[in-house]
């Protein structure tokens, strides 16, 4: 019970400080709708803010997600005066009202990620000042000399496969080392699901978004990245996968070694310097273009790279 309370307090703290990722916001609003965060929101608010919230409830508020979000955002940006006067504009959009404040400059990207364990416990890996974290029994995170978190799992096989999730918010990226020594750079608005311990003859992970991989060689266990119904299988290599849902397809860029891209009954064996694109109709195309390869992995070095791209493509990348 105490552990669940700590999780709820952490969810509220990150929301109040504006640090929530897209996934965390989804969890926040769901718990808010279920009425499970009311106590912890009150704890995080000042006396004046609690009085304002009481006033909101006395006017018929029932902790609806959008209304509650508007109230809290108003508190955070000093919008209490606006909120108290909203009765005269009850039909106005609560979300639109919260963004009437002049826009500030967008902060630059930084290394930031949240690790969620199978039981729901979360660790903010960006702000944590420790050099070692104990996760579950036999598993831990150790920060190496380069400042990267290295995941260490027990050598004995577990009874069941359960997964951790590493999530990077918009505007954030994160380097991470899996238990087999594979290095992963997770791009913004992306998440990686990986088992608490690799078992069997395949090292499987699940990607949503974009990541750059340097796979540790292991002749006995292939490394496989799954994105929907696509699988990229390797033994040891360096490659990038772009699988954002708002893009037209999935792109795998190979820098060294070789990988096999599979979808349904189709597959292609890639060579360094190639890009394999899977279109919406399932067709797999290969492109051999040095400029396109450089553009695909520019984010890994902190750059945007565009060449004859339309404005829609450019703005999706910037977002």
């Amino acid at each position: 019970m105490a552990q669940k309370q700590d999780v709820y307090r952490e969810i509220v703290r990150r929301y109040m400080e504006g640090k929530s990722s897209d996934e965390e916001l989804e969890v926040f609003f769901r718990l808010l709708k279920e009425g499970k965060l009311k106590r912890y929101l009150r704890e995080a608010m000042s006396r004046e803010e609690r009085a304002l919230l009481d006033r909101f409830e006395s006017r018929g508020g029932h902790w609806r997600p959008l209304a509650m979000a508007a109230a809290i955002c108003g508190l955070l940006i000093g919008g209490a005066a606006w909120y108290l006067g909203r009765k005269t504009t009850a039909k106005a959009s609560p979300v639109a009202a919260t963004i009437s404040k002049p826009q500030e400059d967008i902060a630059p990207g930084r290394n930031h990620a949240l690790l969620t364990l199978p039981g729901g416990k979360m660790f903010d890996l960006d702000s944590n000042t420790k050099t070692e974290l104990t996760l579950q029994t036999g598993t831990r995170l150790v920060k190496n000399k380069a400042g990267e978190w290295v995941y260490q799992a027990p050598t004995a096989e577990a009874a069941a496969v359960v997964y951790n999730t590493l999530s990077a918010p918009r505007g954030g990226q994160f380097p991470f080392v899996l238990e087999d020594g594979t290095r992963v750079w997770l791009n913004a608005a992306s998440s990686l699901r990986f088992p608490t311990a690799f078992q069997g003859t395949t090292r499987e992970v699940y990607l949503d978004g974009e990541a750059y991989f340097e796979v540790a060689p292991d002749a006995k266990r292939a490394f496989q990245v799954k994105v929907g119904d696509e699988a990229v299988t390797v033994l040891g290599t360096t490659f990038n996968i772009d699988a954002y849902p708002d893009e037209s397809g999935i792109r795998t860029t190979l820098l060294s070694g070789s990988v096999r891209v599979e979808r349904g009954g189709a597959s292609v064996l890639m060579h360094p310097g190639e890009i394999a694109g899977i279109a919406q109709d399932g067709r797999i195309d290969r492109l051999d273009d040095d400029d396109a390869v450089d553009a695909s992995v520019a984010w890994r070095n902190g750059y945007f790279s565009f060449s004859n791209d339309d404005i829609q493509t450019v703005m999706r990348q910037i977002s």
Side-chain angles (χ1 to χ4, degrees):
M1 184 64 180
Q3 180 178 341
K4 182 177 291 187
Q5 292 175 351
D6 291 342
V7 171
Y8 288 169
R9 286 191 176 93
E10 178 67 8
I11 291 172
V12 169
R13 181 190 69 79
R14 290 181 60 79
Y15 183 88
M16 298 289 279
E17 294 177 2
K19 296 181 178 179
S20 299
S21 66
D22 291 349
E23 292 81 7
E24 291 173 75
L25 285 173
E26 182 178 345
V27 172
F28 175 88
F29 285 130
R30 176 173 57 79
L31 294 175
L32 188 67
K33 185 176 181 180
E34 295 171 358
K36 296 179 180 178
L37 297 184
K38 184 174 180 179
R39 167 187 171 185
Y40 307 99
L41 282 167
R42 288 186 178 279
E43 288 179 358
M45 292 177 180
S46 66
R47 179 182 302 174
E48 292 80 7
E49 291 168 344
R50 287 196 294 270
L52 180 61
L53 190 57
D54 290 338
R55 189 166 182 175
F56 162 74
E57 291 181 318
S58 69
R59 292 181 178 181
H62 296 288
W63 293 84
R64 292 183 296 270
L66 288 179
M68 193 60 221
I72 295 174
C73 287
L75 293 171
L76 292 178
I77 65 175
W82 163 80
Y83 185 80
L84 289 173
R86 72 187 290 269
K87 187 175 182 180
T88 59
T89 57
K91 294 184 179 180
S93 167
V95 175
T98 64
I99 60 173
S100 60
K101 181 184 176 182
Q103 295 291 311
E104 299 177 354
D105 289 342
I106 296 174
R110 61 190 178 94
N111 284 351
H112 186 197
L114 186 76
L115 180 66
T116 304
L117 304 185
K121 187 174 182 179
M122 296 180 291
F123 290 88
D124 185 343
L125 302 186
D126 171 55
S127 62
N128 205 298
T129 58
K130 297 181 180 180
T131 58
E132 183 174 324
L133 295 172
T134 299
L135 305 180
Q136 305 103 341
T137 303
T139 63
R140 60 180 187 158
L141 285 178
V142 178
K143 188 174 288 188
N144 63 19
K145 293 182 179 179
E148 301 168 326
W149 285 105
V150 181
Y151 183 83
Q152 297 182 347
T155 54
E157 291 194 356
V161 178
V162 290
Y163 289 85
N164 300 307
T165 301
L166 183 70
S167 304
R170 289 188 180 275
Q173 300 175 358
F174 205 77
F176 195 76
V177 183
L178 299 174
E179 57 140 322
D180 65 332
T182 293
R183 304 167 77 87
V184 182
W185 284 263
L186 196 62
N187 204 354
S190 302
S191 63
L192 183 75
R193 290 179 61 236
F194 60 96
T196 53
F198 287 124
Q199 299 185 36
T201 58
T202 304
R203 297 168 286 168
E204 284 185 352
V205 298
Y206 297 82
L207 175 66
D208 180 9
E210 184 171 19
Y212 179 97
F213 294 84
E214 290 183 0
V215 177
D218 188 337
K220 296 181 179 180
R221 298 187 301 171
F223 189 92
Q224 190 170 78
V225 181
K226 291 191 172 181
V227 184
D229 56 358
E230 176 189 346
V232 176
T233 305
V234 302
L235 290 176
T237 191
T238 304
F239 62 100
N240 187 85
I241 298 181
D242 179 353
Y244 284 116
D246 58 354
E247 295 292 343
S248 59
I250 300 171
R251 289 161 56 94
T252 300
T253 304
L254 181 62
L255 283 80
S256 66
S258 64
V259 304
R260 181 175 296 279
V261 177
E262 302 171 277
R263 184 174 188 177
S267 70
V268 297
L269 182 64
M270 295 178 61
H271 302 289
E274 290 184 338
I275 298 175
I278 297 184
Q280 296 291 355
D281 61 5
R283 187 182 67 258
I284 303 177
D285 294 321
R286 279 193 293 184
L287 173 66
D288 185 353
D289 185 320
D290 290 342
D291 290 338
V293 170
D294 291 341
S296 292
V297 298
W299 72 268
R300 168 67 183 83
N301 298 313
Y303 298 100
F304 291 109
S305 179
F306 305 112
S307 178
N308 298 319
D309 293 308
D310 58 33
I311 188 61
Q312 290 85 1
T313 300
V314 171
M315 293 310 296
R316 282 200 305 273
Q317 290 292 319
I318 292 176
S319 73

